[in-house]
Amino acid sequence: MKHLFIKYFFVLAVIAFNYKIMGTSISGNITYTGPDTNKIFVAAFTDPNLDSEAIPVQIDAPGAYTISGLADGVYYLVSVMTASTDNHFEMTDPWGVYGTWGKLTPVTLSGGIGVTGIDITLVDGTLENPNPFYRSYIEPEQTFQLPASTQDGIDPCISTDGTFIYLYKHDYPSAPSGKIYKINPSNAEVIFTYYLTQESIPNGVSWIHNMTFYKGEFWATGGYGDPSGTGYIEGVFKVDLAASRSSNQLPLGSSVVLNGGFASDGNFLYAGISTMDKHGIVKFDPALVSEVPSAPLIELSDSPEYLCYGNNYLWAATDSVSQIEPLTGTIIKKYNLPSSAAEVYLNDLFWSYDEEENTLSCYSIGVVGDANNENTFAADGFYLSQNYPNPFNPVTNITFTIPSASFVTLKIFDALGKVISTLIAEEKPAGIYSQKWYANGLTSGVYFYQLQAGSFTETRKLILLQ
């Protein structure tokens, strides 16, 4: 059954704030008159959009609650009852907020004096008024089974050079070796295998946590051999795959933990980090720093598990995938993609690796819905992407963007200009869309696809190989 990951802030309920015995509190009552009888989470946020770290408490049934250990400040309260035993939220789970959804009422603490009477009524979620913390699984556009030769190994990560996908695996715990598979993303064929020696010798590669492609070479987070002695140093470094050597090493800054994703926009590196009091993403030019910075470009409630760069944006995964403007660190929107999908962005698709199934899956950003249950996307302009895969047999994906509501036609032509198929001919709102074309029964050759939207027209070539 499809259901949603619990909002990550609630899983912290048992461990995140047990140490806080000082401070003041917010208390009230949770009421509910429906039939469900399950545990209830109540959480306080310092951000009205709920983008801050949550301070949660759990109660076993409707009634009194108290959130203790709060500092003076302004808070916003939400509550959800879980209808499942595995802490996942369903569309129909009871929920409520203090105030109204979209305009939460602030609760102000000052002078160390607690506030009482912050009562919340839970209502059952419905199709028309769903639990706003519900988020459904998004099905991949396509899933590729990798060869059995890539199955063994542990601690995998994937990266891309813009053409191929590279899958890294450590051979086994404490092994002095690993492998990096160069994979054709159109058919999951392994083009080449790099055999990596992993030893803590001077300028060696001790281990790899994540990889990215930066200025024509691979860089990694992990451990590298101490250039001046024995042992390893944790940090960021360039990897020579053929020689199993590290260079351009950058140790960690003070109190920095590299526990998140790793990405590049071609000019800068981005890494998910944690410090004693902060989580987020650091941005740096490795030629201009002597260590991995500790001051995040953007602070998040947790270090992003995955990072990737594509379509001029940085994409970061916590419980969903956030679209981030890389110059300022501004979060544009959050999408209902699986968090693992933000590991690689290639050919207008997000890619993830499933270690258990040994598969690569790709996801489209087209109309997947954002983390606030919206199905719109603020597009900057008209754009028609190159189809993927290309060449293809027998199905391919065509992605396009329209910045405003338009009557849209998407047609397929043969080499003589004859219309083979009309895939779309309808009014569409602004957004990013992905359309499949099934070329069953057609002969191999060159075809063309044309997008018309308002006064915009663009044509691209695609190749069918039967």
Side-chain angles (χ1 to χ4, degrees):
M1 180 178 62
K2 291 184 178 180
H3 55 145
L4 298 180
F5 290 114
I6 187 171
K7 192 81 171 175
Y8 65 90
F9 44 79
F10 287 113
V11 301
L12 300 175
V14 178
I15 61 173
F17 294 93
N18 288 341
Y19 69 91
K20 290 189 175 180
I21 58 176
M22 302 298 291
T24 186
S25 64
I26 295 174
S27 62
N29 281 282
I30 303 298
T31 58
Y32 173 67
T33 58
D36 291 337
T37 56
N38 296 285
K39 58 189 174 183
I40 298 170
F41 291 102
V42 189
F45 294 82
T46 58
D47 183 89
N49 296 317
L50 310 184
D51 284 332
S52 61
E53 190 170 19
I55 306 173
V57 67
Q58 177 186 323
I59 58 177
D60 293 329
Y65 75 91
T66 298
I67 302 177
S68 303
L70 300 175
D72 285 353
V74 178
Y75 296 89
Y76 303 87
L77 279 292
V78 303
S79 180
V80 177
M81 178 187 289
T82 61
S84 63
T85 59
D86 53 1
N87 287 342
H88 287 161
F89 291 160
E90 302 288 351
M91 181 183 294
T92 55
D93 281 349
W95 66 280
V97 300
Y98 186 64
T100 59
W101 183 249
K103 192 174 182 180
L104 304 184
T105 300
V107 178
T108 301
L109 298 178
S110 63
I113 300 173
V115 174
T116 62
I118 307 303
D119 301 333
I120 298 175
T121 298
L122 303 185
V123 297
D124 290 327
T126 64
L127 292 176
E128 296 75 24
N129 185 36
N131 182 331
F133 304 110
Y134 165 82
R135 287 209 306 277
S136 59
Y137 287 119
I138 301 298
E139 297 293 338
E141 290 282 316
Q142 199 166 0
T143 296
F144 298 90
Q145 182 65 58
L146 296 182
S149 59
T150 65
Q151 178 71 64
D152 293 338
I154 60 172
D155 303 328
C157 68
I158 60 173
S159 57
T160 182
D161 61 2
T163 302
F164 299 99
I165 288 178
Y166 293 78
L167 168 63
Y168 162 79
K169 284 188 173 183
H170 191 188
D171 283 343
Y172 55 86
S174 301
S177 57
K179 297 181 182 69
I180 298 175
Y181 303 97
K182 181 179 180 181
I183 299 169
N184 184 340
S186 65
N187 57 15
E189 177 187 356
V190 175
I191 305 298
F192 189 79
T193 300
Y194 296 92
Y195 294 88
L196 192 66
T197 300
Q198 295 186 209
E199 295 180 319
S200 296
I201 59 175
N203 299 313
V205 176
S206 300
W207 79 86
I208 290 176
H209 179 60
N210 277 309
M211 293 178 60
T212 193
F213 198 69
Y214 173 69
K215 295 189 175 180
E217 299 183 84
F218 281 100
W219 287 67
T221 60
Y224 58 88
D226 186 344
S228 61
T230 60
Y232 65 84
I233 298 174
E234 187 174 359
V236 170
F237 51 94
K238 184 164 47 175
V239 182
D240 183 332
L241 300 186
S244 298
R245 304 291 283 176
S246 65
S247 62
N248 300 76
Q249 301 103 330
L250 296 174
L252 301 183
S254 177
S255 303
V256 173
V257 177
L258 276 172
N259 57 353
F262 191 43
S264 167
D265 63 5
N267 296 309
F268 298 93
L269 293 175
Y270 300 83
I273 65 140
S274 294
T275 64
M276 292 293 292
D277 58 351
K278 295 178 181 179
H279 306 285
I281 303 167
V282 293
K283 173 183 178 180
F284 58 99
D285 181 338
L288 300 179
V289 297
S290 58
E291 62 182 19
V292 177
S294 59
L297 165 72
I298 178 172
E299 291 188 33
L300 301 170
S301 59
D302 199 1
S303 176
E305 184 178 6
Y306 299 102
L307 284 175
C308 63
Y309 180 85
N311 201 24
N312 298 316
Y313 291 103
L314 187 67
W315 305 85
T318 48
D319 65 323
S320 59
V321 175
S322 296
Q323 179 190 17
I324 299 174
E325 207 294 313
L327 293 178
T328 63
T330 302
I331 296 178
I332 307 298
K333 189 168 285 189
K334 295 184 179 181
Y335 287 88
N336 286 348
L337 288 164
S339 61
S340 60
E343 194 167 5
V344 161
Y345 187 96
L346 176 65
N347 297 325
D348 293 320
L349 295 167
F350 292 96
W351 293 79
S352 67
Y353 173 69
D354 187 315
E355 182 177 9
E356 182 176 347
E357 299 296 330
N358 195 34
T359 55
L360 282 173
S361 294
C362 56
Y363 299 83
S364 171
I365 59 174
V367 197
V368 296
D370 70 18
N372 294 317
N373 294 316
E374 299 174 3
N375 286 320
T376 59
F377 183 90
D380 295 327
F382 291 100
Y383 182 71
L384 179 62
S385 299
Q386 184 63 51
N387 66 298
Y388 182 81
N390 189 48
F392 70 98
N393 178 29
V395 61
T396 190
N397 297 288
I398 300 170
T399 301
F400 62 91
T401 300
I402 56 174
S404 58
S406 307
F407 187 85
V408 175
T409 60
L410 182 61
K411 297 180 180 181
I412 307 294
F413 299 84
D414 64 15
L416 299 177
K418 177 183 177 182
V419 176
I420 299 298
S421 178
T422 299
L423 303 180
I424 298 174
E426 62 185 16
E427 188 78 17
K428 284 188 174 294
I432 298 179
Y433 297 89
S434 183
Q435 176 68 45
K436 292 183 182 292
W437 179 44
Y438 294 87
N440 304 81
L442 295 176
T443 58
S444 297
V446 175
Y447 294 82
F448 298 87
Y449 58 103
Q450 183 182 82
L451 175 71
Q452 289 185 315
S455 60
F456 174 84
T457 301
E458 185 170 352
T459 304
R460 284 180 176 265
K461 180 173 67 176
L462 41 68
I463 300 173
L464 172 62
L465 292 180
Q466 296 282 24

